[in-house]
Amino acid sequence: FEDNAHALPATYRTLGERFDILVGPFLTDCWKDYFQMLELGRYRLCFAVSRNHRLASRERLSIKDLYGETVAVVNGGKNTVIDEVRSEMKNHPKIRIKDVPRLFDLDVFNRCEESNAVLLTLETWADVHPSLVTIPSDLQLTIPYGLLYPMHPSGEVSQFLGIINEWRSSQGHSVITRPGK
């Protein structure tokens, strides 16, 4: 499937027709009526900058480190965690927020690198762009990731999810299903 910000919403809305399960982050509450998620873990929020950016050598970034910077924040749908970060940055007038009106895709990473902006991103995408450095933040916020599956999964998908849940339980992991259950 096309993994870009324009095609991905249709892929999520039709989950179960062409694809039984996708693995990924749960980035928007707008799609919670189209699929469920078995949470497998959480990704930390980070910031990505060009390798030539003044912050590129930092080991960790705080909100105050972003003073004087333009921070690109993806605004492709309602996400409580991303909205919380956006609200916090709005309390700091020395930070310019640039809303990116789509989801994360390669174009977003390219534009961040070309414009020398700071991008709010996830730790899982640390190596997605060779010209960007991903730096952990001191934000104690995370985004869930896991198995995205249809609201009404087939018997085979339900059986697979049951096996995953059984294994998680045997390993001492909590069994979490979102957003529909």
Side-chain angles (χ1 to χ4, degrees), residues 18-175:
R18 290 182 44 213
F19 305 100
D20 291 321
I21 294 175
L22 294 175
V23 177
F26 183 69
L27 287 172
T28 176
D29 296 334
C30 293
W31 296 331
K32 67 182 178 187
D33 293 335
Y34 298 104
F35 64 82
Q36 298 183 68
M37 180 175 138
L38 175 64
E39 185 176 324
L40 299 177
R42 300 184 75 80
Y43 291 129
R44 290 179 302 154
L45 290 175
C46 297
F47 295 102
V49 297
S50 166
R51 292 192 180 282
N52 301 318
H53 195 280
R54 71 175 183 89
L55 298 172
S57 63
R58 300 289 299 269
E59 289 188 27
R60 182 168 300 282
L61 292 176
S62 70
I63 294 288
K64 290 186 179 181
D65 293 326
L66 303 175
Y67 285 5
E69 298 294 337
T70 297
V71 180
V73 181
V74 173
N75 191 21
K78 294 180 181 180
N79 181 291
T80 308
V81 176
I82 292 174
D83 290 346
E84 186 177 331
V85 174
R86 183 182 290 106
S87 293
E88 174 61 26
M89 286 193 289
K90 285 182 179 179
N91 292 329
H92 297 267
K94 293 181 180 180
I95 299 173
R96 291 176 303 284
I97 300 171
K98 176 178 174 49
D99 280 327
V100 178
R102 299 189 315 235
L103 301 173
F104 292 96
D105 66 4
L106 195 52
D107 185 51
V108 169
F109 289 95
N110 282 335
R111 284 187 289 137
C112 171
E113 195 274 332
E114 291 165 3
S115 68
N116 211 32
V118 177
L119 176 66
L120 179 66
T121 186
L122 302 178
E123 65 184 321
T124 189
W125 294 318
D127 298 319
V128 78
H129 196 289
S131 298
L132 294 177
V133 175
T134 299
I135 306 165
S137 74
D138 66 357
L139 302 168
Q140 299 300 313
L141 300 169
T142 59
I143 301 282
Y145 74 88
L147 303 177
L148 311 177
Y149 61 96
M151 292 300 288
H152 306 288
S154 67
E156 292 86 358
V157 170
S158 294
Q159 183 180 8
F160 175 74
L161 295 168
I163 291 168
I164 298 294
N165 270 329
E166 221 175 275
W167 178 82
R168 286 177 58 82
S169 293
S170 74
Q171 300 299 307
H173 297 284
S174 60
V175 176

